[in-house]
Amino acid sequence: MDTADATVRATAPLTFRPAAEADVAGLVELIESAYRGDASRAGWTTEADILDGQRTDPEGVAAVVRGEGSRMMIVERDGELVACCQLEHRDDHAYFGMFAVRPTLQGGGLGKVILSEAERFARVEWGVTEMRMTVISAREELIAWYERRGYARTGRMTPFPYGDERFGLPRRADLEFELLIKPLG
């Protein structure tokens, strides 16, 4: 592909759609590539220095795809899966998770666009007034990115599920999740 083709491809419009069962394998591959192993080091969201093992599995992603009150949002450019995120309607708020952008596309503003669309969807479609998420508290750079987008740290922590390999193999003993909250609209 020459430079002109690459530029056109990089600026092609994004499309958003709900995931289907047929998307599960591609979603697992995308999420894993954004967070674990050497491939994740091409982007800045890697967790490879703090966790080994898997980030998710087909069963976990399929549960989100099928879940009542939940949506796995697929983001495509020219028919290619470039990003995804999970939205879950929980009473008066939405939960945001499983956010992944292809490592080679990170750092170019794509994440901001996707997060904004997720917030818009939750506000307009579900009528919620708040978005919540949990982030590993050791991920200071990632938390700072969310803070620049209006999310506030709450100081409310939940323990990392040590011993449950479905969430990865910790490389350190101080991991925990912090709740971040943003009012919508």
Side-chain angles (χ1 to χ4, degrees):
M1 179 183 328
D2 68 24
T3 307
D5 288 341
T7 301
V8 168
R9 185 162 171 70
T11 58
L14 298 174
T15 58
F16 296 83
R17 67 173 174 83
E21 291 278 337
D23 297 310
V24 170
L27 287 165
V28 171
E29 183 276 323
L30 171 65
I31 294 164
E32 292 296 315
S33 75
Y35 290 96
R36 302 291 163 80
D38 287 336
S40 70
R41 294 181 191 280
W44 69 273
T45 63
T46 185
E47 294 174 344
D49 293 330
I50 61 173
L51 290 157
D52 290 321
Q54 70 179 34
R55 177 78 179 333
T56 191
D57 55 33
E59 295 77 21
V61 173
V64 174
V65 169
R66 285 188 227 113
E68 178 105 10
S70 106
R71 167 177 285 224
M72 179 63 86
M73 184 185 300
I74 297 263
V75 184
E76 295 172 318
R77 179 177 278 147
D78 283 342
E80 178 187 347
L81 176 61
V82 297
C84 68
C85 66
Q86 165 196 12
L87 290 169
E88 201 171 298
H89 189 185
R90 298 181 178 174
D91 301 318
D92 63 343
H93 69 276
Y95 178 81
F96 180 81
M98 284 196 203
F99 188 26
V101 174
R102 285 233 174 266
T104 55
L105 299 176
Q106 292 177 14
L110 193 56
K112 289 183 244 183
V113 171
I114 295 162
L115 181 61
S116 179
E117 173 58 17
E119 292 167 353
R120 185 207 64 76
F121 176 88
R123 187 180 66 253
V124 171
E125 299 297 323
W126 291 338
V128 299
T129 58
E130 186 176 84
M131 185 78 84
R132 296 182 185 182
M133 68 178 72
T134 55
V135 178
I136 295 174
S137 62
R139 304 282 322 276
E140 291 293 336
E141 184 180 9
L142 182 59
I143 290 172
W145 187 86
Y146 283 117
E147 286 179 310
R148 290 191 300 274
R149 273 132 205 95
Y151 287 81
R153 298 181 84 157
T154 64
R156 293 179 7 207
M157 305 293 189
T158 54
F160 185 87
Y162 285 92
D164 188 342
E165 292 184 11
R166 292 176 305 150
F167 299 96
L169 304 168
R171 300 179 77 181
R172 46 195 277 188
D174 65 340
L175 300 182
E176 60 187 348
F177 294 101
E178 182 170 3
L179 177 66
L180 306 181
I181 296 176
K182 178 181 180 177
L184 300 178

